[in-house]
């Protein structure tokens, strides 16, 4: 499938797949999110430090196809320094990108734009979406555990 992607997109994706600066575990992580895509056999675990509602260091481990692993790398890079609210905007932007909808102009996708070509391959969208679905779920869990923790 990578052969059919535009060359520019393919190179960005392959760079992240082969040598990600974000692979590993974030030391002292207070955020954790996991995702599995049984259709393709992709597995991802994100760990991140969080301070004042903002992501610090974001790292991922996992295995699977180039799209899933490259997306995790690109997504980790984009999450660093983002608030929960900005992360929500980024996730919405990625969902829009996969559906070929117009993006919010204020969201900078960075290398994630390379995934625009993936929407031509519907089966692969799940491989890419694994990252943001996992983070979205992780943030929901975080929110819930905070809400429970603050109960009298
Ligand atoms: Zn995959």
């Amino acid at each position: 499938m990578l052969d059919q992607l535009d060359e520019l997109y393919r190179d960005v994706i392959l760079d992240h797949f082969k040598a990600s600066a974000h692979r590993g575990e974030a030391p002292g992580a207070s955020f954790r999110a996991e995702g599995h895509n049984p259709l393709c056999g992709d597995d991802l675990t994100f760990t991140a430090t969080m301070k004042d509602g903002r992501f610090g260091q974001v790292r991922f481990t996992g295995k699977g196809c180039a799209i899933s692993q490259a997306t995790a790398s690109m997504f980790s890079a984009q999450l660093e320094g983002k608030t929960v609210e900005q992360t929500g905007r980024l996730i919405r932007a990625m969902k829009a990108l996969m559906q070929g909808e117009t993006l919010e102009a204020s969201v900078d996708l960075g290398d994630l734009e390379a995934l625009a070509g993936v929407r031509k391959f519907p089966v692969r969208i799940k491989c890419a979406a694994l990252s943001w679905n996992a983070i979205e779920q992780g943030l929901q869990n975080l929110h819930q555990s905070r809400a429970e923790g603050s109960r009298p």
Side-chain angles (χ1 to χ4, degrees):
M1 169 256 158
L2 283 177
D3 298 341
Q4 296 165 275
L5 275 180
D6 295 342
E7 204 169 329
L8 172 74
Y9 289 154
R10 194 182 56 210
D11 287 351
V12 172
I13 290 168
L14 280 177
D15 281 351
H16 277 276
F17 176 55
K18 286 185 198 153
S20 174
H22 291 270
R23 195 173 268 283
E25 282 198 38
S30 56
F31 176 87
R32 188 181 170 88
E34 289 177 37
H36 310 283
N37 174 18
L39 285 176
C40 181
D42 305 319
D43 269 312
L44 289 174
T45 302
F46 290 92
T47 51
T49 55
M50 281 197 111
K51 195 164 180 262
D52 304 328
R54 202 178 271 276
F55 280 107
Q57 208 177 45
V58 183
R59 294 290 180 268
F60 77 97
T61 57
K63 60 181 170 55
C65 68
I67 293 292
S68 70
Q69 304 301 303
T71 304
S73 172
M74 295 188 273
F75 207 66
S76 298
Q78 284 300 308
L79 283 183
E80 290 192 334
K82 280 205 167 43
T83 63
V84 170
E85 203 236 318
Q86 288 169 327
T87 301
R89 274 211 297 265
L90 177 66
I91 290 171
R92 283 198 298 280
M94 290 316 296
K95 289 179 176 173
L97 184 73
M98 287 298 118
Q99 280 157 19
E101 289 167 9
T102 324
L103 304 181
E104 267 182 76
S106 60
V107 181
D108 175 19
L109 298 180
D111 284 350
L112 285 166
E113 277 189 53
L115 294 172
V118 170
R119 66 171 173 252
K120 287 185 276 180
F121 310 93
V123 169
R124 293 293 171 193
I125 293 177
K126 284 198 163 60
C127 303
L130 190 59
S131 285
W132 50 90
N133 289 341
I135 295 292
E136 195 170 43
Q137 186 63 52
L139 286 173
Q140 269 171 22
N141 295 346
L142 196 69
H143 186 72
Q144 268 168 14
S145 64
R146 284 222 180 111
E148 277 159 24
S150 64
R151 254 176 230 158

